């Protein structure tokens, strides 16, 4: 609801501006911008600074999101190996996704083909299978470590993919 109100306020201010300046087409807007920057050269530096800051924030947001994904994947793996409940990880993932979306100002929602809970359950089954096979000594500890590593990497990639598709 807040996103919708924000979009409506933005649209209202854009309509007022374009009506006032009589800039409705892309050519009119580009011409108006060039003329404005000729008469206000100090604005060029302000615009450049704003763009640089925006790109810096987006880069920092992407780095922070990547680090948060890695931490969540490690914590999820630990909980699954221990046989603990993992629903709280999904809740944390949703909260973080929303936060990162707000920071990046990306308000488009894209549906994921499968719910995040299905992925979490699948990774849990994989972890339990490897643990069971290790306990039965059906696989070597080295192979078990490699499988845990592969599952962890797949899980991290899936979390990143879920994050990317929600952007």
């Amino acid at each position: 609801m807040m996103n919708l109100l924000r979009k409506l306020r933005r649209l209202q201010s854009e309509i007022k501006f374009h009506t006032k300046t009589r800039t409705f087409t892309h050519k009119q807007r580009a011409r108006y911008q060039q003329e404005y920057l000729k008469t206000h050269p100090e604005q060029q530096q302000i615009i450049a600074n704003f763009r640089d800051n925006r790109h810096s924030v987006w880069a920092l947001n992407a780095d922070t999101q990547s680090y948060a994904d890695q931490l969540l994947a490690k914590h999820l793996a630990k909980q699954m190996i221990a046989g603990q409940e993992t629903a709280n990880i999904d809740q944390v993932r949703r909260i973080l996704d929303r936060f990162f979306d707000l920071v990046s100002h990306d308000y488009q929602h894209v549906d994921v083909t499968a719910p995040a809970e299905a992925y979490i359950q699948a990774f849990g089954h994989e972890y339990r299978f490897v643990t069971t096979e290790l306990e039965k000594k059906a696989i070597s500890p080295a192979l078990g470590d490699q499988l845990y590593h592969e599952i962890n990497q797949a899980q991290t990639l899936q979390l990143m993919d879920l994050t990317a598709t929600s952007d």
Side-chain angles (χ1 to χ4, degrees):
M1 190 63 156
M2 289 177 57
N3 288 339
L4 178 62
L5 291 174
R6 188 177 300 123
K7 285 179 183 180
L8 288 174
R9 282 192 301 263
R10 173 85 173 149
L11 182 62
Q12 181 183 16
S13 67
E14 284 183 18
I15 290 171
K16 284 181 183 178
F17 174 78
H18 294 301
T19 304
K20 178 182 171 186
T21 60
R22 298 178 189 232
T23 54
F24 301 105
T25 67
H26 290 291
K27 286 183 182 181
Q28 289 172 335
R29 290 176 195 162
R31 194 172 25 248
Y32 176 82
Q33 185 179 24
Q34 287 174 350
E35 290 173 15
Y36 181 81
L37 290 177
K38 284 179 186 176
T39 59
H40 299 87
E42 71 281 356
Q43 291 296 317
Q44 288 178 339
Q45 185 60 40
I46 293 171
I47 291 170
N49 288 342
F50 174 78
R51 287 182 179 153
D52 289 344
N53 288 341
R54 182 177 57 190
H55 290 295
S56 296
V57 167
W58 286 342
L60 180 62
N61 188 48
D63 291 344
T64 306
Q65 187 172 11
S66 175
Y67 185 70
D69 287 341
Q70 291 173 2
L71 288 177
L72 276 176
K74 287 179 185 178
H75 187 70
L76 180 61
K78 287 178 185 177
Q79 282 190 325
M80 287 181 168
I81 290 172
Q84 296 175 344
E85 181 63 37
T86 58
N88 60 343
I89 299 291
D90 186 47
Q91 292 171 346
V92 171
R93 163 65 28 224
R94 288 181 194 166
I95 291 168
L96 286 176
D97 284 346
R98 182 177 168 136
F99 171 77
F100 291 125
D101 285 347
L102 288 173
V103 171
S104 67
H105 294 27
D106 185 4
Y107 301 112
Q108 296 177 358
H109 178 72
V110 177
D111 290 331
V112 178
T113 56
E117 295 87 5
Y119 289 115
I120 291 173
Q121 288 178 354
F123 288 122
H125 292 303
E126 290 176 344
Y127 278 116
R128 282 191 285 283
F129 174 78
V130 172
T131 303
T132 302
E133 295 302 305
L134 280 170
E135 289 172 354
K136 292 192 300 188
K137 300 193 188 241
I139 60 174
S140 69
L143 178 60
D145 287 342
Q146 182 63 32
L147 290 172
Y148 282 136
H149 180 73
E150 292 293 326
I151 295 168
N152 193 26
Q153 281 185 331
Q155 181 180 11
T156 302
L157 289 173
Q158 186 60 45
L159 285 172
M160 287 177 169
D161 186 43
L162 286 172
T163 303
T165 57
S166 68
D167 292 341

